[in-house]
């Protein structure tokens, strides 16, 4: 089968690339190959089934700060297609959007099916052909054309867009073709912790600053970031198996490679009072010893901290349930300050965050011209989405990478294929 544009991968980046190609050049024949039985499966489960499309950060430079890998390379592309462009694109096609308090952008319907229907309807209207259960076995350049072989048939295309996500077989294929591949490691995962301070507190959430340490309690060197020493701030959620929440997920993304090298055996330091230093808390506790002298420590917390967590941290500091503020010793105040601002927790392993599996790794970014998303090695071969060594923290940023790459690749293809025909 011959087509103008062949898209490998029926996910977010693949559909966005294909649809934009057809919108810009309705005369081009476009097809999508998907190895699975269904398309857009990751879109379906994203955001807890609500589909977190993007994030309300509307300047390119601040937006890049959410990408542990790809931060520098995405600055130029974000000047071409940003979060606001994404929102406009979907709203133009009838997907009403809303910005939630934390900045995440969702369909007003609160259903990922709205986004899936939008893509499928557009594909049908634009005449894009979708092949399911089409596992790619070979990609090769033959003269001016590309030949892609699947289990059932072969395709010839003038242009190929690779949007296969973290599919290891495609990465291996590209490696054989001569691409440099950065080994894949998990990103966006939760920390497995067994510790009496958080036992039976599942569901409790509070704002905190969390830092990464090795087993010798030295700060970890973290890729492209200072989050090891300075820590990552955000809501930390206690789970049945340890800790999760945006603050933890952010650390897992920035520390993806370092934590893999440690075989996910490491420590974290938590400041449960992120607006205060340990010295400030020490001074406040001394003040409360006088001001709250007759009150029982366990019945009242003077800090914006969940009461059950406050009680656990006091127990860890050696303070009894019957103790009054007036009876606090300097040693106990010092121990409590330590627990509140510098508590050390041992992490033994990780758990996948829901079903939204994200990897760090993929095609080395030096292989791609980010003005076009075309391979520097092969003319007519484009690489978009998570097949590249780009990943982000949770909050719609990984999708924004897919939309930006898909749009820019489509725009370049639309212009280039005109040039070919004109010449």
């Amino acid at each position: 089968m011959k087509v103008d544009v062949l898209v490998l991968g029926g996910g977010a980046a693949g559909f966005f690339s294909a649809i934009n190609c057809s919108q810009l050049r309705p005369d081009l024949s476009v097809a999508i190959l998907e190895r699975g039985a269904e398309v857009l499966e990751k879109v379906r489960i994203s955001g807890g089934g609500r589909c977190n499309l993007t994030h309300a950060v509307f300047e390119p430079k601040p937006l890049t700060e959410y990408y542990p890998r790809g931060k520098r390379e995405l600055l130029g592309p974000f000047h071409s297609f940003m979060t606001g462009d994404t929102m406009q694109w979907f709203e133009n096609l009838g997907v009403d959007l809303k910005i939630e308090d934390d900045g995440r952008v969702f369909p007003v319907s609160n259903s990922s099916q709205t986004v899936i229907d939008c893509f499928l309807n557009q594909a049908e209207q634009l005449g894009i052909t979708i092949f399911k259960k089409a596992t790619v076995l070979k990609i090769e350049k033959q003269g001016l054309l590309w030949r892609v072989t699947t289990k059932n048939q072969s395709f010839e295309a003038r242009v190929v867009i690779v949007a296969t996500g973290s599919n290891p077989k495609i990465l291996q294929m590209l490696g054989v073709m001569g691409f440099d591949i950065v080994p894949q490691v998990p990103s966006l995962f939760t920390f497995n912790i067994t510790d009496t301070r958080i036992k039976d507190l599942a569901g409790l959430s509070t704002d905190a600053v969390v830092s990464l340490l090795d087993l010798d309690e030295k700060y970890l060197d973290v890729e492209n970031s200072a989050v090891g020493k300075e820590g990552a701030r955000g809501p930390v959620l206690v789970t049945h198996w340890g800790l999760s929440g945006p603050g933890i997920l952010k650390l897992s993304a920035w520390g993806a490679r370092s934590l893999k090298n440690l075989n996910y055996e490491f420590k974290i330091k938590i400041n449960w009072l992120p607006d205060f230093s340990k010295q400030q808390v020490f001074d406040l506790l001394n003040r409360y010893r006088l001001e709250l002298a007759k009150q029982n420590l366990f019945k009242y917390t003077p800090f914006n901290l969940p009461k059950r967590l406050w009680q656990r941290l006091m127990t860890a500091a050696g303070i009894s349930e019957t103790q009054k503020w007036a009876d606090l010793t300097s040693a106990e105040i010092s121990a409590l300050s330590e627990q509140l601002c510098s508590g050390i927790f041992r992490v033994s392993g990780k758990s996948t965050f829901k079903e939204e599996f994200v990897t760090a790794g993929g095609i080395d970014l030096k292989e791609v011209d980010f003005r076009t998303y075309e391979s520097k090695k092969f003319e007519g071969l484009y690489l978009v989405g998570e097949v590249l060594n780009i990943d982000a923290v949770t909050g719609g940023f990984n999708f924004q990478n897919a939309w930006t790459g898909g749009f820019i690749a489509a725009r370049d293809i639309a212009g280039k294929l005109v040039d070919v025909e004109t010449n």
Side-chain angles (χ1 to χ4, degrees):
M1 180 176 177
K2 289 187 177 181
V3 294
D4 292 309
V5 180
L6 187 63
V7 179
L8 312 186
F15 265 82
F16 205 76
S17 305
I19 290 168
N20 276 285
C21 276
S22 290
Q23 286 175 338
L24 293 167
R25 288 288 305 281
D27 58 306
L28 297 178
S29 55
V30 180
I32 296 172
L33 304 186
E34 165 56 42
R35 67 171 173 162
E38 297 297 332
V39 294
L40 299 165
E41 280 302 287
K42 201 163 182 180
V43 171
R44 188 181 305 281
I45 62 174
S46 76
R50 294 198 298 142
C51 194
N52 181 189
L53 279 170
T54 187
H55 206 97
V57 179
F58 297 110
E59 293 293 329
K61 186 72 168 71
L63 183 59
T64 64
E65 297 296 330
Y66 293 90
Y67 295 83
R69 270 89 22 202
K71 174 180 174 179
R72 183 172 59 85
E73 290 80 4
L74 286 172
L75 184 58
F78 283 157
H79 276 91
S80 291
F81 195 87
M82 263 289 286
T83 50
D85 301 304
T86 294
M87 294 178 72
Q88 189 68 58
W89 192 93
F90 280 102
E91 287 181 336
N92 285 346
L93 294 176
V95 179
D96 293 328
L97 302 177
K98 60 178 178 176
I99 301 173
E100 299 200 338
D101 291 343
D102 60 4
R104 291 182 300 165
V105 177
F106 290 93
V108 169
S109 67
N110 280 326
S111 172
S112 57
Q113 193 61 45
T114 305
V115 178
I116 293 169
D117 290 344
C118 169
F119 282 150
L120 293 177
N121 290 339
Q122 276 298 296
E124 186 177 359
Q125 287 176 31
L126 294 164
I128 296 168
T129 312
I130 301 167
F131 295 88
K132 299 174 185 176
K133 295 185 179 178
T135 301
V136 173
L137 301 178
K138 200 169 188 180
I139 307 167
E140 54 191 335
K141 190 78 181 280
Q142 293 188 341
L144 295 175
L145 296 177
W146 286 92
R147 178 180 285 274
V148 175
T149 308
T150 70
K151 282 183 177 178
N152 303 316
Q153 64 188 116
S154 65
F155 298 81
E156 282 189 349
R158 295 162 69 190
V159 165
V160 168
I161 302 174
V162 182
T164 47
S166 54
N167 183 336
K169 289 184 178 176
I170 297 293
L171 285 173
Q172 188 178 11
M173 222 176 284
L174 293 169
V176 172
M177 289 170 64
F179 284 94
D180 286 335
I181 311 293
V182 179
Q184 292 178 296
V185 298
S187 182
L188 290 188
F189 48 85
T190 60
F191 297 170
N192 295 348
I193 298 171
T194 303
D195 193 292
T196 55
R197 288 169 289 181
I198 58 172
K199 187 182 178 185
D200 300 326
L201 297 185
L204 181 150
S205 179
T206 188
D207 203 35
V209 171
V210 189
S211 305
L212 291 174
L213 311 171
D214 63 19
L215 291 178
D216 295 324
E217 299 184 11
K218 294 176 183 172
Y219 287 107
L220 278 182
D221 289 327
V222 178
E223 192 174 10
N224 300 326
S225 174
V227 297
K229 192 165 187 177
E230 293 179 8
R233 180 169 180 168
V236 171
L237 171 69
V238 181
T239 68
H240 292 290
W241 59 87
L243 293 176
S244 183
I248 296 296
L249 295 171
K250 193 185 296 184
L251 273 188
S252 77
W254 287 102
R257 296 206 171 277
S258 300
L259 300 181
K260 166 74 172 176
N261 291 339
L262 292 173
N263 200 27
Y264 306 104
E265 296 284 340
F266 58 99
K267 293 182 180 180
I268 56 173
K269 182 165 76 173
I270 304 181
N271 181 356
W272 298 104
L273 303 174
D275 293 320
F276 299 97
S277 68
K278 188 160 63 173
Q279 184 58 52
Q280 288 172 320
V281 170
F282 182 86
D283 294 340
L284 280 170
L285 290 173
N286 266 309
R287 200 177 90 197
Y288 295 146
R289 177 163 55 173
L290 300 174
E291 293 178 358
L292 308 172
K294 294 181 180 180
Q295 290 194 32
N296 180 293
L297 278 137
F298 269 70
K299 288 184 178 176
Y300 168 76
T301 169
F303 299 104
N304 184 24
L305 199 66
K307 186 177 179 181
R308 289 184 300 158
L309 179 61
W310 164 253
Q311 291 171 341
R312 290 293 180 83
L313 296 178
M314 282 194 296
T315 300
I319 297 166
S320 74
E321 291 186 27
T322 58
Q323 205 157 331
K324 290 185 169 55
W325 278 93
D327 300 328
L328 271 182
T329 66
S330 292
E332 287 169 338
I333 287 177
S334 183
L336 184 53
S337 303
E338 187 79 18
Q339 288 297 331
L340 288 166
C341 298
S342 302
I344 305 294
F345 291 77
R346 170 78 183 253
V347 179
S348 298
K350 61 173 179 57
S351 295
T352 302
F353 174 59
K354 298 182 180 176
E355 295 156 308
E356 298 175 35
F357 188 68
V358 173
T359 57
I363 301 293
D364 194 300
L365 303 186
K366 296 191 294 291
E367 298 275 7
V368 177
D369 181 347
F370 279 92
R371 294 169 299 180
T372 62
Y373 281 77
E374 188 174 21
S375 158
K376 291 178 181 177
K377 278 194 174 80
F378 298 99
E379 190 176 351
L381 186 66
Y382 292 77
L383 304 134
V384 298
E386 217 182 305
V387 71
L388 298 169
N389 181 29
I390 294 177
D391 64 288
V393 300
T394 185
F397 301 103
N398 283 300
F399 272 150
Q400 184 57 51
N401 169 48
W403 314 141
T404 295
F407 177 83
I408 292 174
R411 183 181 63 185
D412 190 65
I413 289 163
K416 273 208 177 127
L417 291 189
V418 169
D419 291 339
V420 170
E421 288 171 356
T422 303
N423 295 332

